[in-house]
Structures are given as structure tokens and as C-alpha cells.
């Protein structure tokens, strides 16, 4: 078991974490003048005119960026901070406390691992992570750890609240597309909600390492709490990377492959990655709304016609997961399996 959070404090980066020169983030162009749109959800107190404005903002951001941040979403800063803190406390536990949860079995409801399943024993990413099946809560809660203190209670509350935000945003998206507001409320979003908690310890030389590979998310939609310790998340925008700057109390929302496919390319699933830093540990929590494994995925019939034919063929979500893993999360590699043209 090798966890970055268990490593001694190095003055230099261990060789197995050093990327070849052509794959280091310092080689890439970063556009520092562009920020993600920030959308005010107004705490759920929205009249019809206000809701129309929010829908327009979400659709504009989804078409241009595939990413945006939301504020005034109805979840208290305390709830978010408690979740970030209890997760950070988990990674700071002694190695012997954590090792019982370490596993390469991706089917487990709760497990700890490091780097990514897509590194294939090549250069390792400077990251530890938890993968948690978290909804329905009653199905999984007994498989969650009891330490740190109040972990189960905090995770349960956080899961319920973030699920509400994802459902609200999906309804607004459906209306923005001209679909029934509950279009995404069935099998497209009724798979187990999963959470990925990322922990990036300080790195002695961030120019040599990566926190997480460039990828698009395989699910429908992701709601991310990224903390405010440091900037580390970057998203692709017009062939350049932009920094996703932390906003206290905000969530980052990004669209997964399934939303791009169901909307026939109207909304975008965009590549993103994580960088490291040398000064502070950074924690982020991605909550992923998934289709059921046997859900039939296809462009919505309401969004295709003779002038706008379907770009993707029908498939079962389980088959998409297999293709995603085979393509090692590479955006073009996985979509090539399902594109019609």
C-alpha cells in the first residue's frame, strides 16, 4: 500500500511521481484572464422571471464552458466545511488506521486508493482518494468508516443536501432544453450516487507532477466542493487551460459525458485536471449523479431531427463504463466508441 499522505516529507519528488518533460503542466498554455461563470441560485427563492434568468445563465455556461460555479445554493458553508474537514481528518489518520480501507476492488462501497486506476503502473499521480457509494444512504451507511468522529453523520447530511442541488440543476437544464422538467429524474439519474474525495498533499516540486490526469467525467453531472486552501483544478477552454478559482461556499458544477450525449452535443463535457502545490494540502469532494447501469442512453428524441441528426448511437450505460475504462478516461478515445459521425 503506497499512499502519498503516508510518504515522508521529501525535499525532492520521488522518481515514480515525475512526469516526462512533454507531459508536465508547465508546458501547457494557461489563460489567466478567463474565469468560470458564477450563477446565483438565490437560495431556491425564485420567481418565474428569476428562474428564466438562471436557466439562461446555466444554458449559456453549459454550451460555452461545460462548467460553472453556483452560489446561494441553499447549503450552509458550515455543512460544506464540516465535510471537507472530516475528509481531511481521514487522510491525516495514522497509516495503520487507514490501511484496512485500502483496496483495488472498485466494486466496494467504500475504499481508499492512490494515484488513479488509469495510471497502469506508469508515472503516479500525486493524489490519494476515497471512492464512496453514498446514496441510497441506508444501503451503504454501515460500510462507511466510523472514524474520524462523526464521519457517517456528516457524510449522510452532506449527501442529501448535494443530491438536492444536482436534482434542482438538472430540472433547470431540462427546462432550458425544452424538455419536461423531470426528464432527467428517471433512470438517467437513479443510479447509485458516488463520491470521490481527492486529497493532494503539498508537493516539493509541482512543476514535475500532476494531481490528476486530464479527463471528462463518465456520469451525468458532478457537483464539486473544492475548498479554498489553494487553486488546483483546471478546465479546458478553447484549447487552453483555465484555473477554477475557489469561491468560499460555492460549488463547481460540470457536465459529464452522458449529459453531452443526451443533449446531442448542445451541452459540453469538458476536460479538466488537477495540479499540485508546494505549500498546503488540498481536499476536493466530487459528488457524481449516475444513470442506472442498465439505463438506455441516447440523444433525446426531442432534440434531434432531419436537420440535426443524432451524433451518438444508443447504448447501455454499463457498456459505456467498459469503454471509458478501456480508453483510460481519454475523452476522444471513449467517445469514438459511440459517435455516429
Amino acid at each position: 500500500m503506497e499512499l502519498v499522505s503516508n510518504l515522508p516529507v521529501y525535499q525532492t519528488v520521488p522518481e515514480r511521481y515525475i512526469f516526462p518533460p512533454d507531459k508536465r503542466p508547465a508546458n501547457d498554455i494557461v489563460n489567466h484572464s478567463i474565469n468560470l461563470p458564477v450563477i446565483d441560485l438565490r437560495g431556491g427563492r425564485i420567481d418565474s422571471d428569476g428562474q428564466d434568468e438562471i436557466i439562461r445563465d446555466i444554458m449559456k455556461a453549459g454550451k460555452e464552458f461545460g462548467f460553472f460555479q453556483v452560489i446561494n445554493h441553499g447549503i450552509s458553508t458550515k455543512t460544506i466545511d464540516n465535510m471537507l474537514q472530516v475528509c481531511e481528518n481521514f487522510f491525516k489518520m495514522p497509516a495503520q488506521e487507514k490501511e484496512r480501507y485500502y483496496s483495488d476492488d472498485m466494486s466496494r462501497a467504500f475504499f481508499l486508493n492512490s494515484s488513479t486506476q488509469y495510471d497502469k503502473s506508469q508515472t503516479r499521480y500525486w493524489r490519494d482518494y476515497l471512492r464512496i457509494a453514498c446514496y441510497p444512504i441506508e444501503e451503504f451507511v454501515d460500510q462507511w468508516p466510523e472514524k474520524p468522529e462523526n464521519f457517517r453523520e456528516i457524510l449522510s447530511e452532506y449527501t442529501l443536501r448535494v443530491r438536492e442541488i444536482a436534482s434542482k440543476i438538472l430540472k433547470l437544464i431540462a427546462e432550458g432544453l425544452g424538455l419536461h422538467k423531470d426528464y432527467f429524474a428517471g433512470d438517467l439519474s437513479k443510479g447509485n450516487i458516488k463520491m470521490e474525495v481527492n486529497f493532494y498533499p503539498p508537493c516539493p516540486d509541482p512543476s514535475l507532477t500532476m494531481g490528476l490526469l486530464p479527463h471528462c467525467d463518465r456520469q451525468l453531472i458532478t457537483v464539486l466542493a473544492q475548498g479554498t486552501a489553494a487553486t488546483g483544478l483546471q478546465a479546458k477552454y478553447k484549447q487552453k487551460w483555465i484555473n477554477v478559482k475557489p469561491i468560499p461556499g460555492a460549488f463547481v458544477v460540470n457536465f459529464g459525458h452522458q449529459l453531452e450525449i443526451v443533449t446531442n452535443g448542445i451541452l459540453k463535457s469538458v476536460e479538466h485536471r488537477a495540479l499540485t502545490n508546494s505549500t498546503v494540502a488540498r481536499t476536493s469532494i466530487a459528488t457524481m449523479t449516475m444513470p442506472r447501469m442498465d439505463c438506455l442512453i441516447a440523444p433525446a428524441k426531442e432534440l434531434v431531427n432531419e436537420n440535426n441528426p443524432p451524433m451518438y448511437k444508443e447504448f447501455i450505460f454499463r457498456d459505456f463504463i467498459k469503454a471509458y475504462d478501456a480508453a483510460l478516461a481519454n475523452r476522444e478515445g471513449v467517445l469514438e466508441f459511440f459517435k455516429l459521425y
Side-chain angles (χ1 to χ4, degrees), residues 285-337:
I285 304 168
T287 305
M288 303 171 283
T289 299
M290 313 277 287
R292 293 186 187 275
M293 281 295 179
D294 59 356
C295 178
L296 180 66
I297 309 288
K301 291 182 173 58
E302 297 88 340
L303 302 179
V304 298
N305 52 48
E306 289 184 3
N307 297 320
N308 185 36
M311 297 170 58
Y312 302 96
K313 59 187 176 184
E314 292 185 348
F315 57 87
I316 302 298
F317 182 56
R318 179 181 288 104
D319 294 333
F320 185 91
I321 295 298
K322 293 176 183 177
Y324 186 91
D325 291 345
L328 303 181
N330 175 270
R331 172 182 165 79
E332 298 307 322
V334 66
L335 289 181
E336 196 61 38
F337 284 97

Side-chain angles (χ1 to χ4, degrees), residues 131-195:
R131 182 80 58 80
I132 311 170
C134 51
Y135 192 88
I137 291 172
E138 62 276 8
E139 185 176 335
F140 301 115
V141 64
D142 290 339
Q143 300 175 65
W144 300 342
E146 294 180 333
K147 292 183 179 181
E149 185 178 2
N150 297 326
F151 184 90
R152 291 181 176 182
E153 293 82 356
I154 292 170
L155 176 54
S156 295
E157 179 186 3
Y158 182 84
T159 298
L160 290 173
R161 300 307 305 278
V162 174
R163 180 174 178 267
E164 291 173 359
I165 290 179
S167 296
K168 180 189 300 183
I169 291 172
L170 286 170
K171 286 184 178 181
L172 295 171
I173 290 171
E175 292 191 52
L177 293 166
L179 304 171
H180 188 278
K181 67 177 182 178
D182 292 325
Y183 185 87
F184 296 106
D187 286 353
L188 282 168
S189 63
K190 286 294 179 65
N192 294 333
I193 292 179
K194 294 189 176 180
M195 198 175 286

Side-chain angles (χ1 to χ4, degrees), residues 39-42 44-61 63 168-169 171-179 181:
I39 298 175
D40 188 343
L41 294 183
R42 307 182 191 184
R45 298 180 295 275
I46 309 171
D47 58 22
S48 58
D49 290 339
Q51 178 157 305
D52 288 345
E53 181 182 352
I54 291 170
I55 290 171
R56 285 195 297 271
D57 288 346
I58 289 175
M59 295 302 293
K60 181 180 179 182
K63 291 175 181 179
K168 180 189 300 183
I169 291 172
K171 286 184 178 181
L172 295 171
I173 290 171
E175 292 191 52
L177 293 166
L179 304 171
K181 67 177 182 178

